[in-house]
Amino acid sequence: MGLLLLYMIILLLDIFYFSSGIIYNKGDMEKHFACHSQGFPQKTEIIKLYLSSDDLKVECFFRSESELTSKEYLGVFTSGGLAPSLGIMNSTYTGIFHFNLTLFSDRVYWLINIPRENITKNTDIAAVEEWLVRITLQHGLNIYTTEGTLLDNVREPILQWDLGTVMTEIDITSVYPYVVDLKVAKCPCANDVALLGFILNATYNGIYIGLTFSGFWNYNDTMWYNLTDTIYSQVGEEHTDLSVVDMVLTNHFLVILTSLGLFVSGDLRYPSSSVLTFSRADFCGFERVDYIKGKLWYNERCFANREHFEVDYVTITFERNRTLSESSSCFYTKEPFTQWLPCLPHILKGMKSIPSIVVTFLVDQEHSAGIYLFSNQKITTASVSVLKDNKPGLKPKFPLFIFPSSFSSPVGMVFHPRSHFLYAYGNQIWLSIDGGNTFELLADFHDDIIKNTYHSFYTSDITFVSQSGNVYLTKAGLRRYSKIGSVSDNIFTLYYDHMGFIHKLTPDHFEADGSLRAFGNSKSIFGQAPDMGFEAALAPQYITLKEMIFYAYVPANEPPESIYAKKFSNIHLGKMIHSRKTGTAYIRKVLQHNTPEGFLSSVIAEVIDPFGIEEANTSSCLFSSLSVSELGNVSYKLTLQPQNPGINSSFQDLDIEKTVVIPGYSSFLITNILDAKNALAIATMPERILSNITFQKDSWFLYNLGHRNGRIWTIYAKPCNYWFQHDDSLSLNVLKYIDLGKSHTLKVKVIPNTKGVRTLEIPLLKVIVGNANLLEVKVEGSFDDTDSYLMKISGASKALRQGSTSLGLVVWGASTQCSVTTIVPMLKNSCSYLKSMHHIPSKVIPLEDWISGIHKDSQGFNMIKTLPVNYRPPSNMGIAIPLTDNFYHVDPSKPIPRNLFPKSKRSGKFKQCANMSTREECNCTNDQKFSHAVAFSDCREKVPRFKFPVTQYPVSLEIYSEDGHIPVETPYLVTVTEVNRRENWKLKHSVPENVKKLKNYLESRLNAPVYNPLGLNLSIKGSELFHFRVSVVPGVTFCNLVEEFQIYVDEVPLPFPGHALIAVAAAVVLGGLIFMTFIFQIRNIHPADMCQKFMRRHKVNISNATVVSWLIDEN
């Protein structure tokens, strides 16, 4: 326990050192954690996690010699408040999850349980990136970082099928004796998912393919299938000698070239049956003898979150010239691979054509161009044609690139996955970084020929294997390479898994790099690192105390065909020269020249450790002075002049190929001993020789870098000399979307780790843009006080043209021993699949209240409305006559209300609940039940509720993306519609002067009102449900930004009929008067006369009554 406590103290003291961020190339990333779904993992296992339809449950152990010690470590870390964190990331996504800090009972592991929907909500079958997982003891501190992978078994297309009849171990073992070669095809997005096909000799028959989803780490984990019957169902069983020739696994299809034809699978995303079926592609005039020599070519790109401009192409080439009846010996096709077209366009009459074989035809998707590699008996050429309607044009995009005659055996051409780095290979390797316009020689193997290339997109490793079995390594875009060993197996192939570990596959066993170094950079499966030196003597020439030139000596009688074996070449660039005595030097530059005589190549090197000189007790000539005189045009005679007669001083045979070094003068390589006092030599710098001059004893020195008595100098790869820090993302190779008018900035840092080697004040990082016409890329670089080189790369979208381009960030001076020398971020001038527009409600209602259906405001008003079953909003014809096609809160088992009128009966359609009998069968998810989208209206149950009238409701909009949230404002303009065609609503907004012209123009083009989203207010005078859709106008973004929101207007007061009653009463009275007047007229009744007569009669009666009353009173 005391040792553990000391361990913790050291750990805490190093926290600040560890917390500086992810830095690559710092050394081997040891495996401190072992994570698994069950059991205690073996020591050699790497982390392989798998995501199913259930939650992701991960158990992590701290690696130790025993389970007991692991438990003690666990207790100490936990008591210190430390628990691991799990980072899940790919090129576009990063999620951090934390293990439980609390341990239970006698548990010896940390545990985490992550719901699937917290990682991804998608379950459809599609090409999806395999995740990288990074486990650290504490997030942000990067302590004990251990990496692995996470594969989504639910969505990976090829894993959803049975490829054929499952084979037992006995079945597959019986095939081994007939295997002559192997072919691997791996999934572009998940390199751990791969297929291994057996190429058989003519004495056996069948298609046998192995499938892995764990990267061929364990032979027993491979599932073997027999596809023979499936293929014979297309060609007939009367044919024999059936075998795999080549395979390609694209994002959505499996293409198999067999000895009896080419077969293409159905779309892997849409399983129609459990067994995968194939269709045969017909090529008129081609037979078995042609198919067995055919090759498939494919530009590997991952189309996760596929764009409309992204499509796979596959090419087939036949090793023969086409006949007059054949259109071509090269054909290509795009997904779904049903129509195969000739690679060469039809040559019009009068146009000249060079009779050549198409070695390779590749489609460069970044430039929308086709790249050819032609060859005939005289020359090898490369040509680029622009694709128009997916067909190459007649006119080349660039002038024809003619390779030198030394490139006499071209084999093929390949793009490094997900990049624009193009390699042509054969007896030489050529690199193009400009889409095939120009090529640069990378390596020359003379009589040896590169037969196959193997690539890792994650580490940018590229491995070349020659026909002699030699294995060479380079990095994508790096202009240097190394020999890393050889393979003695007669039948083998190589394969890189998703994390960049290299595997050697043979028919009966798999071999991976047993050291498990970071990113698979160790190549132990190829044996001990080879000496890249050659059998020649080196003559050192000092330029300064820290800089030397080493000349390689080629004797005059050397046969011309072997001169190359005694010269420095590109393989030596960036390597270290070691002397068996003492001394090392770093090769900075390789030179080829014809003078001085005898030295046809040299290297400029920086001295790391001084080279040892010969001692006088082994070379007695050093006891004498030395005079130099010319002897012919080339040679010089070295003459000893003894200083002490009592000391024997002479040249010996062992001094041949030693070099006389004289500070300030030319060096001399001794080529022959004339006698004890005289020797012949050649000068490294003849112009720095003074004739007949004598150099005193101890003023000249003797170096031995010869090979006559056994070569005493070697050349090996330099240990990694740069650290690499990527500040933009936890993922190494990122994908960034750049919307129209937007920009994105990447930041990287290169940290020199060059002990004893000076850092040159020149940029350490080279940026290579794949398609410079798509984005405007600017680069800023500077050195800091620690000689670290910082670079900012910004890409801006300026053109209304969608596409993608890769950036190559290459540490040009890095050793091939570095895990990371190149990163290839991808920039898409397009809309991010993570970008969306959202309506921000004026009042936020918690999720738990939405579930319960009750959320009351300060006045006790419930702001959630549960819609009636099978509800439809009213129309302009009235509440009882809905005319919309959209149903809400659908339950097919319940009656449909408001369905009395014929127009209502003819409208209304179920969507998700179509042809269902109950609501449960609709399979509405929680997300769909709370979605505002009209596509999920069948599932929508509850909506926001407002009191009548709704006035000046703020329509607040925000854009969500991986970069955060931003409000929707100009230049974004929007249109607003009510999806159910309801009226009684009105929008109010203000339009700045600088936007009015744009608004007016858009309204005339769209035939719809256009609004400024900033300060947009909504007023509603109607009742019940209003469903609005807000859309951003086209031309200001690549995204189709659409948002929908709903408002239910309730408690609408009953309308008071006073106005109507008064109007009706007035009409009745007026009508009655007119009617009475009419009756009086036709009856000749005059109401005025009648009134006058009545008044007169009334007055007479009153007068008579008065007289009678007076008479009575008088009496």
PDB file of all heavy atoms in Angstrom, residues 622-641:
ATOM      1  N   LEU A 622      49.600   8.100 -39.300  1.00  0.00           N
ATOM      2  CA  LEU A 622      49.283   9.332 -38.595  1.00  0.00           C
ATOM      3  C   LEU A 622      50.483   9.900 -37.845  1.00  0.00           C
ATOM      4  O   LEU A 622      50.437  11.046 -37.384  1.00  0.00           O
ATOM      5  CB  LEU A 622      48.122   9.098 -37.619  1.00  0.00           C
ATOM      6  CG  LEU A 622      46.752   8.825 -38.271  1.00  0.00           C
ATOM      7  CD1 LEU A 622      45.751   8.338 -37.235  1.00  0.00           C
ATOM      8  CD2 LEU A 622      46.241  10.083 -38.956  1.00  0.00           C
ATOM      9  N   PHE A 623      51.575   9.104 -37.722  1.00  0.00           N
ATOM     10  CA  PHE A 623      52.772   9.619 -37.073  1.00  0.00           C
ATOM     11  C   PHE A 623      53.568  10.562 -37.979  1.00  0.00           C
ATOM     12  O   PHE A 623      54.520  11.197 -37.535  1.00  0.00           O
ATOM     13  CB  PHE A 623      53.699   8.455 -36.655  1.00  0.00           C
ATOM     14  CG  PHE A 623      53.171   7.690 -35.467  1.00  0.00           C
ATOM     15  CD1 PHE A 623      52.804   6.361 -35.586  1.00  0.00           C
ATOM     16  CD2 PHE A 623      53.062   8.308 -34.229  1.00  0.00           C
ATOM     17  CE1 PHE A 623      52.344   5.660 -34.497  1.00  0.00           C
ATOM     18  CE2 PHE A 623      52.603   7.608 -33.128  1.00  0.00           C
ATOM     19  CZ  PHE A 623      52.226   6.279 -33.260  1.00  0.00           C
ATOM     20  N   SER A 624      53.175  10.664 -39.245  1.00  0.00           N
ATOM     21  CA  SER A 624      53.943  11.433 -40.220  1.00  0.00           C
ATOM     22  C   SER A 624      53.191  12.674 -40.663  1.00  0.00           C
ATOM     23  O   SER A 624      51.973  12.795 -40.475  1.00  0.00           O
ATOM     24  CB  SER A 624      54.256  10.573 -41.458  1.00  0.00           C
ATOM     25  OG  SER A 624      54.988   9.426 -41.120  1.00  0.00           O
ATOM     26  N   SER A 625      53.944  13.573 -41.289  1.00  0.00           N
ATOM     27  CA  SER A 625      53.325  14.667 -42.014  1.00  0.00           C
ATOM     28  C   SER A 625      52.848  14.130 -43.355  1.00  0.00           C
ATOM     29  O   SER A 625      53.260  13.052 -43.804  1.00  0.00           O
ATOM     30  CB  SER A 625      54.325  15.810 -42.239  1.00  0.00           C
ATOM     31  OG  SER A 625      54.744  16.326 -40.991  1.00  0.00           O
ATOM     32  N   LEU A 626      51.984  14.925 -44.008  1.00  0.00           N
ATOM     33  CA  LEU A 626      51.379  14.447 -45.233  1.00  0.00           C
ATOM     34  C   LEU A 626      51.470  15.532 -46.294  1.00  0.00           C
ATOM     35  O   LEU A 626      51.083  16.677 -46.050  1.00  0.00           O
ATOM     36  CB  LEU A 626      49.906  14.084 -44.996  1.00  0.00           C
ATOM     37  CG  LEU A 626      49.132  13.511 -46.188  1.00  0.00           C
ATOM     38  CD1 LEU A 626      49.638  12.108 -46.531  1.00  0.00           C
ATOM     39  CD2 LEU A 626      47.638  13.477 -45.890  1.00  0.00           C
ATOM     40  N   SER A 627      51.982  15.135 -47.477  1.00  0.00           N
ATOM     41  CA  SER A 627      52.006  16.061 -48.603  1.00  0.00           C
ATOM     42  C   SER A 627      51.068  15.530 -49.693  1.00  0.00           C
ATOM     43  O   SER A 627      50.910  14.321 -49.861  1.00  0.00           O
ATOM     44  CB  SER A 627      53.435  16.211 -49.164  1.00  0.00           C
ATOM     45  OG  SER A 627      53.901  14.970 -49.667  1.00  0.00           O
ATOM     46  N   VAL A 628      50.449  16.464 -50.416  1.00  0.00           N
ATOM     47  CA  VAL A 628      49.468  16.121 -51.439  1.00  0.00           C
ATOM     48  C   VAL A 628      49.944  16.683 -52.773  1.00  0.00           C
ATOM     49  O   VAL A 628      50.321  17.861 -52.853  1.00  0.00           O
ATOM     50  CB  VAL A 628      48.084  16.705 -51.094  1.00  0.00           C
ATOM     51  CG1 VAL A 628      47.073  16.339 -52.182  1.00  0.00           C
ATOM     52  CG2 VAL A 628      47.605  16.209 -49.741  1.00  0.00           C
ATOM     53  N   SER A 629      49.862  15.837 -53.804  1.00  0.00           N
ATOM     54  CA  SER A 629      50.239  16.289 -55.147  1.00  0.00           C
ATOM     55  C   SER A 629      49.302  15.656 -56.159  1.00  0.00           C
ATOM     56  O   SER A 629      48.764  14.563 -55.951  1.00  0.00           O
ATOM     57  CB  SER A 629      51.697  15.911 -55.460  1.00  0.00           C
ATOM     58  OG  SER A 629      51.863  14.500 -55.378  1.00  0.00           O
ATOM     59  N   GLU A 630      49.091  16.380 -57.267  1.00  0.00           N
ATOM     60  CA  GLU A 630      48.191  15.885 -58.298  1.00  0.00           C
ATOM     61  C   GLU A 630      48.845  14.747 -59.054  1.00  0.00           C
ATOM     62  O   GLU A 630      50.032  14.740 -59.299  1.00  0.00           O
ATOM     63  CB  GLU A 630      47.831  17.003 -59.268  1.00  0.00           C
ATOM     64  CG  GLU A 630      46.939  18.067 -58.676  1.00  0.00           C
ATOM     65  CD  GLU A 630      46.429  19.029 -59.740  1.00  0.00           C
ATOM     66  OE1 GLU A 630      46.246  18.577 -60.892  1.00  0.00           O
ATOM     67  OE2 GLU A 630      46.212  20.202 -59.411  1.00  0.00           O
ATOM     68  N   LEU A 631      48.027  13.791 -59.459  1.00  0.00           N
ATOM     69  CA  LEU A 631      48.492  12.657 -60.230  1.00  0.00           C
ATOM     70  C   LEU A 631      47.429  12.377 -61.292  1.00  0.00           C
ATOM     71  O   LEU A 631      46.503  11.601 -61.072  1.00  0.00           O
ATOM     72  CB  LEU A 631      48.717  11.428 -59.350  1.00  0.00           C
ATOM     73  CG  LEU A 631      49.403  10.232 -60.025  1.00  0.00           C
ATOM     74  CD1 LEU A 631      50.834  10.594 -60.417  1.00  0.00           C
ATOM     75  CD2 LEU A 631      49.421   9.032 -59.089  1.00  0.00           C
ATOM     76  N   GLY A 632      47.498  13.070 -62.402  1.00  0.00           N
ATOM     77  CA  GLY A 632      46.474  12.948 -63.426  1.00  0.00           C
ATOM     78  C   GLY A 632      45.337  13.924 -63.159  1.00  0.00           C
ATOM     79  O   GLY A 632      45.433  14.847 -62.343  1.00  0.00           O
ATOM     80  N   ASN A 633      44.219  13.705 -63.868  1.00  0.00           N
ATOM     81  CA  ASN A 633      43.080  14.622 -63.768  1.00  0.00           C
ATOM     82  C   ASN A 633      42.199  14.338 -62.572  1.00  0.00           C
ATOM     83  O   ASN A 633      41.453  15.200 -62.134  1.00  0.00           O
ATOM     84  CB  ASN A 633      42.237  14.542 -65.053  1.00  0.00           C
ATOM     85  CG  ASN A 633      43.006  15.008 -66.276  1.00  0.00           C
ATOM     86  OD1 ASN A 633      43.861  15.891 -66.168  1.00  0.00           O
ATOM     87  ND2 ASN A 633      42.710  14.402 -67.428  1.00  0.00           N
ATOM     88  N   VAL A 634      42.254  13.119 -62.065  1.00  0.00           N
ATOM     89  CA  VAL A 634      41.316  12.703 -61.026  1.00  0.00           C
ATOM     90  C   VAL A 634      42.043  12.403 -59.732  1.00  0.00           C
ATOM     91  O   VAL A 634      41.629  12.846 -58.646  1.00  0.00           O
ATOM     92  CB  VAL A 634      40.504  11.477 -61.493  1.00  0.00           C
ATOM     93  CG1 VAL A 634      39.569  11.012 -60.398  1.00  0.00           C
ATOM     94  CG2 VAL A 634      39.745  11.807 -62.768  1.00  0.00           C
ATOM     95  N   SER A 635      43.084  11.631 -59.792  1.00  0.00           N
ATOM     96  CA  SER A 635      43.731  11.106 -58.594  1.00  0.00           C
ATOM     97  C   SER A 635      44.753  12.090 -58.035  1.00  0.00           C
ATOM     98  O   SER A 635      45.281  12.968 -58.731  1.00  0.00           O
ATOM     99  CB  SER A 635      44.415   9.769 -58.911  1.00  0.00           C
ATOM    100  OG  SER A 635      43.463   8.823 -59.328  1.00  0.00           O
ATOM    101  N   TYR A 636      45.020  11.874 -56.760  1.00  0.00           N
ATOM    102  CA  TYR A 636      46.035  12.626 -56.034  1.00  0.00           C
ATOM    103  C   TYR A 636      46.911  11.629 -55.300  1.00  0.00           C
ATOM    104  O   TYR A 636      46.434  10.572 -54.860  1.00  0.00           O
ATOM    105  CB  TYR A 636      45.404  13.602 -55.051  1.00  0.00           C
ATOM    106  CG  TYR A 636      44.608  14.707 -55.730  1.00  0.00           C
ATOM    107  CD1 TYR A 636      43.292  14.505 -56.128  1.00  0.00           C
ATOM    108  CD2 TYR A 636      45.201  15.945 -55.974  1.00  0.00           C
ATOM    109  CE1 TYR A 636      42.575  15.502 -56.759  1.00  0.00           C
ATOM    110  CE2 TYR A 636      44.495  16.953 -56.609  1.00  0.00           C
ATOM    111  CZ  TYR A 636      43.169  16.725 -56.999  1.00  0.00           C
ATOM    112  OH  TYR A 636      42.478  17.728 -57.633  1.00  0.00           O
ATOM    113  N   LYS A 637      48.193  12.004 -55.188  1.00  0.00           N
ATOM    114  CA  LYS A 637      49.120  11.136 -54.473  1.00  0.00           C
ATOM    115  C   LYS A 637      49.375  11.718 -53.090  1.00  0.00           C
ATOM    116  O   LYS A 637      49.687  12.905 -52.943  1.00  0.00           O
ATOM    117  CB  LYS A 637      50.443  10.997 -55.236  1.00  0.00           C
ATOM    118  CG  LYS A 637      51.393  10.015 -54.571  1.00  0.00           C
ATOM    119  CD  LYS A 637      52.596   9.712 -55.420  1.00  0.00           C
ATOM    120  CE  LYS A 637      53.574  10.876 -55.451  1.00  0.00           C
ATOM    121  NZ  LYS A 637      54.845  10.495 -56.120  1.00  0.00           N
ATOM    122  N   LEU A 638      49.180  10.854 -52.103  1.00  0.00           N
ATOM    123  CA  LEU A 638      49.434  11.228 -50.717  1.00  0.00           C
ATOM    124  C   LEU A 638      50.770  10.625 -50.318  1.00  0.00           C
ATOM    125  O   LEU A 638      50.980   9.408 -50.435  1.00  0.00           O
ATOM    126  CB  LEU A 638      48.318  10.710 -49.800  1.00  0.00           C
ATOM    127  CG  LEU A 638      46.876  11.073 -50.204  1.00  0.00           C
ATOM    128  CD1 LEU A 638      45.894  10.502 -49.186  1.00  0.00           C
ATOM    129  CD2 LEU A 638      46.690  12.582 -50.318  1.00  0.00           C
ATOM    130  N   THR A 639      51.683  11.475 -49.833  1.00  0.00           N
ATOM    131  CA  THR A 639      53.028  11.024 -49.485  1.00  0.00           C
ATOM    132  C   THR A 639      53.289  11.319 -48.023  1.00  0.00           C
ATOM    133  O   THR A 639      53.051  12.443 -47.547  1.00  0.00           O
ATOM    134  CB  THR A 639      54.087  11.730 -50.348  1.00  0.00           C
ATOM    135  OG1 THR A 639      53.790  11.477 -51.734  1.00  0.00           O
ATOM    136  CG2 THR A 639      55.476  11.222 -50.030  1.00  0.00           C
ATOM    137  N   LEU A 640      53.796  10.293 -47.321  1.00  0.00           N
ATOM    138  CA  LEU A 640      54.116  10.442 -45.901  1.00  0.00           C
ATOM    139  C   LEU A 640      55.530  10.996 -45.757  1.00  0.00           C
ATOM    140  O   LEU A 640      56.451  10.594 -46.472  1.00  0.00           O
ATOM    141  CB  LEU A 640      54.024   9.097 -45.175  1.00  0.00           C
ATOM    142  CG  LEU A 640      52.635   8.435 -45.146  1.00  0.00           C
ATOM    143  CD1 LEU A 640      52.712   7.097 -44.405  1.00  0.00           C
ATOM    144  CD2 LEU A 640      51.614   9.335 -44.466  1.00  0.00           C
ATOM    145  N   GLN A 641      55.688  11.919 -44.813  1.00  0.00           N
ATOM    146  CA  GLN A 641      57.002  12.480 -44.467  1.00  0.00           C
ATOM    147  C   GLN A 641      57.208  12.286 -42.973  1.00  0.00           C
ATOM    148  O   GLN A 641      56.685  13.048 -42.161  1.00  0.00           O
ATOM    149  CB  GLN A 641      57.071  13.960 -44.841  1.00  0.00           C
ATOM    150  CG  GLN A 641      56.919  14.206 -46.334  1.00  0.00           C
ATOM    151  CD  GLN A 641      56.978  15.685 -46.682  1.00  0.00           C
ATOM    152  OE1 GLN A 641      57.140  16.542 -45.802  1.00  0.00           O
ATOM    153  NE2 GLN A 641      56.856  15.987 -47.980  1.00  0.00           N
TER     154      GLN A 641
END
